[in-house]
């Protein structure tokens, strides 16, 4: 790892056959670990981090083949769980509050389920909801979408919106993410830490407004079953713009989640 300032560091964390680009502000604040959307790097979290400011310890990293991280032979969801464990080990964080957007929200929920004594809380931003395109029809729809976008992916990659992967590899990640989300209901039911959702409005690149709102409504049965899971805010921006436009609502959800944890601890 490379020291960037006296109090913070950036560097590469080795895991499996690759290495992840990690930044840690360090300091005495409560550790927040930010988990990115499927193909994004960590840059979209900057407005949230700026809003929360210095009272927290902010840890960001780029997933495999995203941002400054190295490529790998394994881009599976389970590999991403191992990546999170590696980042926590490298930074010495025992009890993180996980803040995940889209794909990262599902990752946060799974990690919290597997580590109930370590998870301080989860903030899930428009993701980690029990809804997904599954079956051969769903898989083919996803493959078609990424075949159409294959020319676009290299263009948006420098902006942190695509990975250093082929269109087929992008599709494979999305197919698995849909299957993980479709089956995530029991995971959410078991969560014992405070979980706060920030839900967006409207459509996304892969789904229209009606379909995305149907997805968000699929969270309602979980809210009825598990009192640890609540919606902190329903915001006006869409799935793609929610970090940039509604960072204050996400920061408020972080504070709300931490306060819920502290209230239990008293």
């Amino acid at each position: 790892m490379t020291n960037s300032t006296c109090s913070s560091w950036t560097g590469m964390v080795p895991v499996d056959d690759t290495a992840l680009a990690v930044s840690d502000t360090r300091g005495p604040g409560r550790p927040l670990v930010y988990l990115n959307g499927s193909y994004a790097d960590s840059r979209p979290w900057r407005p949230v981090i700026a809003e929360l400011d210095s009272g927290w310890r902010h840890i960001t990293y780029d997933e495999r083949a995203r941002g400054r991280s190295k490529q790998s032979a394994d881009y599976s969801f389970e590999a991403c769980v191992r990546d999170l464990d590696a980042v926590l080990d490298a930074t010495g964080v025992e009890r993180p509050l996980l803040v995940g957007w889209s794909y990262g929200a599902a990752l946060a929920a799974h990690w919290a389920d597997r580590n109930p004594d370590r998870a301080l809380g989860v903030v899930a931003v428009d993701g980690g909801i029990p809804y997904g395109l599954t079956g051969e029809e769903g898989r083919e729809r996803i493959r078609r979408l990424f075949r159409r976008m294959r020319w676009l992916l290299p263009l948006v990659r420098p902006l942190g919106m695509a990975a250093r992967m082929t269109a087929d590899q992008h599709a494979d990640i999305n197919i698995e993410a849909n299957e993980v989300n479709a089956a995530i209901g029991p995971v959410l039911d078991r969560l014992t830490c405070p979980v706060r959702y920030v839900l967006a409005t409207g459509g996304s690149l892969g789904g229209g407004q009606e379909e995305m709102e149907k997805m968000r409504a699929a969270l309602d049965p979980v809210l009825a079953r598990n009192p640890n899971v609540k919606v902190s805010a329903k915001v006006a921006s869409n799935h793609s713009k929610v970090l940039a436009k509604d960072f204050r609502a996400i920061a408020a959800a972080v504070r709300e989640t931490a306060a819920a944890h502290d209230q239990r601890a008293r």
Side-chain angles (χ1 to χ4, degrees):
M1 292 178 184
T2 304
N3 289 325
S4 58
T5 71
C6 294
S7 60
S8 64
W9 61 253
T10 62
M12 303 301 292
V13 172
V15 55
D16 295 345
D17 64 346
T18 186
L20 308 175
V22 180
S23 294
D24 180 359
T25 61
R26 291 184 169 172
R30 182 163 281 168
L32 303 176
V33 180
Y34 298 88
L35 306 173
N36 310 329
S38 294
Y39 317 110
D41 62 21
S42 59
R43 283 178 287 180
W45 292 110
R46 288 173 181 170
V48 180
I49 292 170
E51 176 69 15
L52 288 165
D53 205 4
S54 58
W56 307 77
R57 177 180 175 183
H58 303 282
I59 298 170
T60 60
Y61 66 97
D62 297 329
E63 266 296 349
R64 304 173 183 216
R66 286 83 152 176
R68 293 174 291 114
S69 291
K70 305 298 184 183
Q71 291 175 289
S72 170
D74 186 355
Y75 297 120
S76 67
F77 187 82
E78 286 303 317
C80 290
V81 176
R82 293 197 298 276
D83 290 351
L84 176 53
D85 281 324
V87 170
L88 293 173
D89 288 345
T91 54
V93 171
E94 181 60 27
R95 299 210 67 195
L97 197 165
L98 303 174
V99 189
W101 168 43
S102 190
Y103 186 93
L107 179 59
H110 270 268
W111 192 90
D113 179 46
R114 300 177 195 190
N115 299 272
D117 296 331
R118 293 183 60 191
L120 191 150
V122 169
V123 173
V125 183
D126 214 35
I129 295 173
Y131 183 91
L133 300 175
T134 58
E136 189 50 43
E137 183 179 349
R139 290 191 285 273
E140 185 53 32
R141 175 178 162 184
I142 293 167
R143 291 190 187 103
R144 284 198 305 270
L145 172 67
F146 282 92
R147 284 188 205 116
R148 288 198 302 269
M149 294 196 306
R150 63 185 182 279
W151 63 271
L152 179 63
L153 297 173
L155 300 179
V156 299
R157 189 176 299 146
L159 305 176
M161 298 168 63
R164 293 191 301 283
M165 302 175 190
T166 66
D168 286 343
Q169 287 174 313
H170 279 81
D172 288 342
I173 288 172
N174 196 281
I175 288 168
E176 186 187 29
N178 272 272
E179 292 169 350
V180 166
N181 279 318
I184 206 171
V187 172
L188 300 177
D189 289 345
R190 289 192 297 267
L191 293 179
T192 56
C193 65
V195 181
R196 297 293 182 268
Y197 277 80
V198 177
L199 300 178
T201 297
S204 71
L205 185 62
Q209 179 171 345
E210 183 177 350
E211 183 171 39
M212 289 299 288
E213 290 302 329
K214 183 178 178 182
M215 178 273 287
R216 291 164 189 132
L219 184 63
D220 291 345
V222 177
L223 300 174
R225 292 193 298 263
N226 187 347
N228 298 312
V229 181
K230 301 179 185 298
V231 173
S232 177
K234 169 80 169 172
V235 298
S237 55
N238 66 25
H239 183 84
S240 300
K241 300 293 185 183
V242 63
L243 298 191
K245 293 190 174 181
D246 282 296
F247 56 88
R248 292 186 180 87
I250 297 167
V254 169
R255 298 186 188 100
E256 181 183 337
T257 305
H261 169 270
D262 292 347
Q263 189 173 18
R264 290 182 182 189
R266 293 191 188 108

